């Protein structure tokens, strides 16, 4: 019974706009269609084209067209049905043999492009539509495919292959060396950093006891893994929007449903990751300051340490995406989805190395979740610099951070007001998601910007100071009844807070409301999360127990790899060579497969690349 109610609640849709019946939507021409790609191009005269067409009526009045137009004008919840996407095997569909069966002929024009337009137009004529080619993705012939399969590897591919070989050899040599050298104190640190058993131990080792201040933080690891799981689920849904789907109505409904609203509101979770980073940075530095004086001169060292941790895996995955990723799938949509990102990875490679990929060429995405790394790094630098400067004057620091928190929130709102940025909940329309917000300034200039994360960064610092002060005065928050209750209400409140999105959507026409919402939506989510975290640190209840499970901790150690790799894995899974149906079940299946494969792949990447490279570089420079 409870489950049914939950389901009813989950799948209820909001809004009072006119509902279209299934009969009406199925009278529209199909939004997506793909002919059999492999079969088409296997033939020697094969010609396959992929593109987008605009439809106009050939006779007036045209009731279906009018309905389609009205339907598409509700762009906040519908795809544009007058713009259709086609992948046609022209050599089959519009060959003279096929056309003669219709007792007609078609002037093929003087380019495949013209033939594509005329051919599509011919098929749309039956429904009294005229089709104009809006954009052509490609036209491919049989010989193109042969050429592509015989092309020599690009220099990027050669480099990546050599890097992989080098890493494998280094790991083998390192393991053998480490085994022979044993506990010899003079053994070469550079070589032994590649020892597989040693690095495996580092991945799976769980320290018991140790510094109680660190032990208190353990539930954060579980929370991080869960938040990452939610993120990968949201991406599994988003990725279906990018492909040719047989029932786009499902995707349209999803943006309006309660679970869709949670998915849009859940984008604030990324800010929570930033908050956790700056919390850990501040907290660890404060602990360190009890042993040693801190100073701003330590900043370069902090930055280098962090770069050494992040860069090898980041570059490895961007390198993979630029080269071998393309070969993980075949089919008509590879070049417009994986190919597009792969190209961006090649052209934006250096901006990834210098962690400015969320500032340079923001409309080109290379492995979408990588935008988070520069944001996190920039906020790390801010958190580090402030802590190194103000560690002696903690009371003043907290007041300053509070002021800065409010100032940056208001500034975000002000900039959003001036530049008309919209919050995620409002942006999440089918056509926008389909292009992953590519041409949307609210996303490329605000959502993925580093400055937009400043409030989360200051919140993390405040939390670090609170936790440090509580610990210093030996205050256990579990002694305060009100806090215990507050803590237990935090998760329900978090879920309720996400629902404010419904209200926000309805009032998004007011610029002022929109600015205020943008200013406080993500920070408030972070504040709730801060209280939840503080409770988990102090209150030895079921929540703490759950999040302290050992399994989470090993998984959390792979979170960097998982964060980046899941996008590649998921895209590869979703790139099927036909138009397919989608549903909650299909998304769930893709999500499970993505997580399984990602974690399985993350183990070797962490053990063979991340940990050894970190140890290797540290041995080299320190
Ligand atoms: C839908 O596509 C048509 C072209 O087919 C375009 O003219 C129209 O502006 C689009 N509608 C919306 C709401 O974007
Ligand atoms: C095509 O023309 C032939 C002979 O002119 C006729 O028998 C046949 O029915 C026509 N087919 C169509 C689909 O119109």
């Amino acid at each position: 019974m409870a489950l049914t109610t939950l389901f009813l609640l989950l799948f209820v849709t909001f809004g009072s706009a006119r509902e279209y019946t299934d009969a009406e939507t199925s009278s529209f021409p199909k939004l997506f269609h793909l002919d059999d790609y492999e079969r088409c191009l296997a033939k020697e005269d094969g010609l396959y084209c992929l593109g987008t067409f605009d439809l106009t009526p050939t006779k007036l009045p045209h009731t279906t067209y009018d309905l389609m137009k009205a339907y598409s004008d509700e762009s906040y919840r519908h795809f544009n049905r007058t713009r259709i996407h086609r992948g046609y095997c022209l050599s089959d569909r519009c060959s003279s043999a096929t056309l003669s069966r219709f007792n007609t002929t078609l002037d093929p024009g003087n380019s495949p492009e013209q033939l594509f337009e005329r051919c599509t137009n011919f098929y749309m004529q039956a429904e009294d539509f005229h089709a104009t080619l809006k954009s052509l993705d490609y036209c491919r012939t049989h010989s193109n495919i042969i050429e592509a399969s015989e092309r020599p590897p690009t220099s990027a591919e050669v480099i990546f292959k050599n890097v992989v070989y080098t890493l494998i050899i280094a790991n083998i040599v390192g393991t053998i060396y480490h085994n022979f050298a044993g506990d010899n104190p003079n053994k070469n640190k550079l070589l032994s950093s590649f020892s597989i058993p040693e690095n495996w131990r580092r991945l799976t080792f769980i320290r018991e006891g140790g510094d109680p201040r660190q032990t208190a933080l353990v539930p954060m690891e579980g929370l991080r893994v869960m938040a990452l799981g939610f993120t990968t689920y949201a991406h599994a849904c988003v990725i279906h929007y990018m492909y040719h789907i047989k029932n786009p109505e499902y995707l349209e409904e999803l943006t309006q449903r309660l679970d869709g609203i949670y998915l849009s509101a859940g984008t604030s979770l990324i800010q929570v990751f930033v908050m956790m980073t700056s919390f850990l940075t501040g907290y660890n530095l404060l602990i360190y300051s009890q042993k040693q004086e801190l100073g701003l001169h330590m900043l370069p060292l902090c930055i280098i340490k962090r770069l050494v941790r992040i860069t090898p895996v980041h570059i490895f995955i961007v390198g993979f995406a630029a080269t071998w990723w393309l070969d993980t799938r075949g089919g008509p949509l590879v070049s417009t989805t994986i190919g597009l990102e792969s190209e961006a990875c090649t052209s934006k490679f250096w901006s990834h190395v210098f962690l400015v990929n969320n500032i340079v060429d923001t409309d080109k995405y290379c492995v979408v979740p990588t935008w988070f790394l520069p944001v996190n790094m920039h906020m790390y630098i801010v958190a580090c610099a402030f802590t190194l400067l103000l560690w002696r004057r903690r009371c003043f620091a907290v007041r300053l951070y509070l002021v800065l928190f409010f100032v940056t929130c208001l500034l975000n709102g002000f900039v959003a007001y001036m530049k008309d940025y919209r919050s995620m909940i409002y942006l999440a329309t089918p056509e926008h998601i389909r292009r992953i917000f590519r041409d949307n300034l609210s996303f490329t200039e605000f959502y993925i910007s580093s400055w937009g994360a400043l409030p989360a960064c200051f919140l993390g610092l405040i939390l670090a100071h609170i936790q440090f002060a509580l610990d210093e005065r030996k205050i256990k928050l579990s002694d305060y009844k009100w806090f215990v209750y507050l803590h237990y209400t935090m998760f329900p409140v978090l879920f309720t807070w996400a629902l404010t999105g419904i209200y926000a959507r309805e009032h998004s026409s007011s610029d002022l409301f929109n600015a205020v919402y943008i200013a406080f939506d993500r920070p408030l989510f972070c504040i709730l999360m801060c209280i939840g975290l503080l409770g988990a640190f102090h209150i030895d209840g079921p929540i703490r127990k759950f999040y302290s499970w050992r399994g989470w901790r090993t998984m959390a150690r792979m979170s960097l790899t998982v964060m980046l790799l899941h996008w590649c894995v998921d895209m590869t899974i979703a790139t099927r060579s036909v138009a397919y149906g989608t549903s909650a079940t299909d998304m769930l299946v893709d999500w499970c497969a993505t997580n399984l494969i990602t974690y399985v792949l993350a183990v070797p990447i962490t053990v063979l690349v991340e940990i050894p490279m970190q140890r290797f570089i540290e041995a080299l420079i320190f």
Side-chain angles (χ1 to χ4, degrees):
M1 189 61 210
L3 202 67
T4 338
T5 329
L6 185 77
F7 258 76
L8 277 179
L9 247 172
L10 204 64
F11 290 106
V12 72
T13 54
F14 296 95
S16 50
R18 173 186 184 317
E19 287 311 320
Y20 293 82
T21 64
D22 289 349
E24 280 170 329
T25 50
S26 47
S27 71
F28 302 163
K30 275 198 256 177
L31 183 58
F32 301 107
H33 179 92
L34 289 177
D35 281 345
D36 193 336
Y37 177 80
E38 284 84 4
R39 210 179 137 81
C40 178
L41 290 178
K43 298 192 184 124
E44 275 183 6
D45 63 342
L47 172 64
Y48 195 98
C49 293
L50 184 78
T52 304
F53 294 86
D54 284 343
L55 295 181
T56 42
T58 50
K59 69 157 196 2
L60 289 170
H62 194 308
T63 45
T64 312
Y65 180 79
D66 293 340
L67 196 62
M68 275 160 66
K69 194 103 190 78
Y71 189 87
S72 309
D73 280 344
E74 291 180 13
S75 62
Y76 67 95
R77 61 175 184 147
H78 290 150
F79 282 108
N80 191 343
R81 297 306 183 104
T82 59
R83 181 165 292 166
I84 58 171
H85 308 265
R86 289 290 180 266
Y88 275 165
C89 177
L90 298 183
S91 51
D92 233 14
R93 238 172 216 282
C94 284
S95 66
S96 37
T98 314
L99 290 174
S100 67
R101 264 188 269 133
F102 294 100
N103 283 354
T104 179
T105 55
L106 204 62
D107 171 16
N110 38 27
S111 66
E113 196 175 325
Q114 276 186 357
L115 176 63
F116 188 26
E117 184 165 35
R118 287 174 192 179
C119 183
T120 310
N121 195 31
F122 170 72
Y123 280 96
M124 294 318 296
Q125 264 167 12
E127 296 171 71
D128 297 317
F129 285 112
H130 179 76
T132 348
L133 187 62
K134 168 74 176 34
S135 65
L136 177 78
D137 291 312
Y138 61 77
C139 277
R140 280 186 199 144
T141 60
H142 177 74
S143 51
N144 290 149
I145 299 293
I146 304 290
E147 270 164 39
S149 65
E150 283 166 358
R151 109 194 129 78
T154 61
S155 48
E157 279 167 346
V158 174
I159 295 172
F160 187 70
K161 191 172 79 182
N162 287 331
V163 167
V164 171
Y165 283 165
T166 314
L167 279 169
I168 293 176
I169 293 171
N171 272 290
I172 295 174
V173 173
T175 306
I176 296 172
Y177 175 79
H178 182 79
N179 269 351
F180 277 104
D183 294 330
N184 184 348
N186 300 327
K187 73 179 168 195
N188 188 330
K189 270 185 150 174
L190 289 179
L191 258 181
S192 61
S193 55
F194 280 96
S195 156
I196 297 175
E198 170 64 19
N199 294 328
W200 169 255
R201 201 184 58 80
R202 280 171 193 247
L203 174 66
T204 52
F205 177 66
I206 289 173
R207 184 189 313 219
E208 299 294 351
D211 187 346
R213 284 178 297 193
Q214 298 292 345
T215 319
L217 307 187
V218 159
M220 201 152 96
E221 309 281 280
L223 208 68
R224 195 200 298 266
V225 175
M226 294 271 281
L228 196 55
F230 182 88
T231 313
T232 55
Y233 182 69
H235 287 164
C237 299
V238 163
I239 282 177
H240 277 200
Y241 283 81
M242 295 159 56
Y243 291 90
H244 284 212
I245 293 295
K246 274 202 300 203
N247 56 337
E249 295 79 23
Y250 179 80
L251 299 178
E252 292 174 336
E253 264 165 38
L254 180 60
T255 60
Q256 298 305 304
R257 279 200 334 230
L258 192 58
D259 47 341
I261 290 183
Y262 274 122
L263 290 176
S264 320
T267 49
S268 312
L269 263 184
I270 299 296
Q271 300 296 314
V272 174
F273 286 117
V274 174
M275 189 263 291
M276 286 182 186
T277 304
S278 82
F279 163 74
L280 280 179
T281 310
Y283 192 57
N284 286 334
L285 280 176
L286 286 178
I287 290 181
Y288 191 61
S289 73
Q290 292 179 318
K291 279 191 285 186
Q292 194 175 350
E293 301 258 304
L294 302 182
L296 206 53
H297 62 275
M298 292 170 153
L299 186 61
L301 186 74
C302 291
I303 296 177
I304 289 173
K305 281 218 156 204
R306 188 153 185 94
L307 276 179
V308 166
R309 213 170 77 73
I310 295 177
T311 307
V313 173
H314 181 197
I315 294 310
F316 184 78
I317 289 179
V318 168
F320 163 77
T323 54
W324 291 356
W325 191 17
L326 263 175
D327 300 327
T328 57
R329 272 289 201 184
L333 296 180
V334 172
S335 58
T336 58
T337 51
I338 296 181
L340 206 61
E341 288 198 24
S342 189
E343 237 166 66
C345 289
T346 316
S347 66
K348 283 181 74 173
F349 184 78
W350 289 106
S351 68
H352 280 268
V353 173
F354 295 109
L355 284 175
V356 288
N357 50 304
N358 70 332
I359 303 169
V360 180
D361 284 339
T362 45
D363 54 343
K364 286 193 197 147
Y365 303 149
C366 156
V367 188
V368 176
T370 50
W371 69 263
F372 170 71
L373 292 182
V375 173
N376 208 23
M377 185 70 198
H378 300 156
M379 291 307 105
Y380 171 83
I381 296 174
V382 171
C384 239
F386 270 103
T387 317
L388 290 176
L389 261 180
L390 299 172
W391 62 278
R392 277 180 218 274
R393 310 168 61 195
R394 296 206 313 267
C395 239
F396 166 73
V398 172
R399 274 183 228 139
L400 178 70
Y401 298 151
L402 264 175
V403 172
L404 284 174
F405 169 72
F406 280 109
V407 169
T408 46
C409 281
L410 290 177
L411 268 181
N412 279 354
F414 179 69
V415 175
Y417 184 76
M418 297 308 285
K419 305 201 87 175
D420 201 21
Y421 294 145
R422 298 284 158 156
S423 63
M424 211 55 185
I425 193 91
Y426 182 76
L427 288 186
T429 69
E431 289 284 355
H432 279 321
I433 305 177
R434 182 177 154 70
R435 299 188 37 77
I436 336 177
F437 314 102
R438 244 188 200 89
D439 23 35
N440 202 299
L441 295 183
S442 307
F443 186 81
T444 55
E445 286 184 1
F446 174 69
Y447 182 73
I448 66 171
S449 68
S450 301
W451 51 270
L454 278 168
C457 170
F458 289 119
L459 263 184
L461 283 175
I462 295 170
L463 183 66
H465 283 77
I466 293 177
Q467 171 69 5
F468 188 77
L470 288 175
D471 205 81
E472 205 176 33
R473 299 186 188 138
K474 304 258 174 293
I475 299 174
K476 279 298 261 180
L477 282 178
S478 48
D479 300 338
Y480 296 83
K481 270 255 150 20
W482 63 270
F483 186 79
V484 176
Y485 290 129
L486 183 70
H487 160 65
Y488 282 118
T489 53
M490 225 16 70
F491 282 91
V493 170
L494 259 182
F495 277 86
T496 321
W497 171 249
L499 288 183
T500 54
I502 301 172
Y503 182 81
R505 254 189 203 174
E506 276 159 19
H507 293 77
S508 53
S509 51
S510 146
D511 286 342
L512 191 63
F513 174 82
N514 196 52
V516 173
Y517 188 70
I518 277 209
F520 290 104
D521 163 39
R522 304 196 291 177
L524 269 173
F525 195 86
C526 285
I527 290 182
L528 295 179
M529 213 62 174
C530 277
I531 299 174
L533 268 179
L534 207 54
F537 294 160
H538 287 265
I539 298 162
D540 208 9
I543 294 186
R544 180 178 166 86
K545 288 218 175 65
F546 174 73
Y547 285 119
S548 307
W549 179 51
R550 295 160 137 258
W552 297 134
R553 282 189 254 173
T554 303
M555 282 157 90
R557 256 172 238 169
M558 301 190 282
S559 52
L560 174 66
T561 314
V562 171
M563 177 104 177
L564 305 181
L565 192 63
H566 81 266
W567 185 265
C568 298
V569 172
D570 206 339
M571 290 270 281
T572 298
I573 291 177
T575 312
R576 296 163 178 124
S577 61
V578 290
Y580 52 95
T582 185
S583 64
T585 316
D586 290 293
M587 287 172 175
L588 198 66
V589 168
D590 276 12
W591 176 65
C592 291
T594 301
N595 272 317
L596 187 71
I597 298 175
T598 306
Y599 274 102
V600 167
L601 289 177
V603 172
I605 294 181
T606 313
V607 173
L608 304 184
V609 184
E610 180 178 350
I611 302 179
M613 281 308 285
Q614 183 183 354
R615 292 175 64 203
F616 179 79
I617 301 175
E618 277 177 1
L620 205 63
I621 47 184
F622 300 123

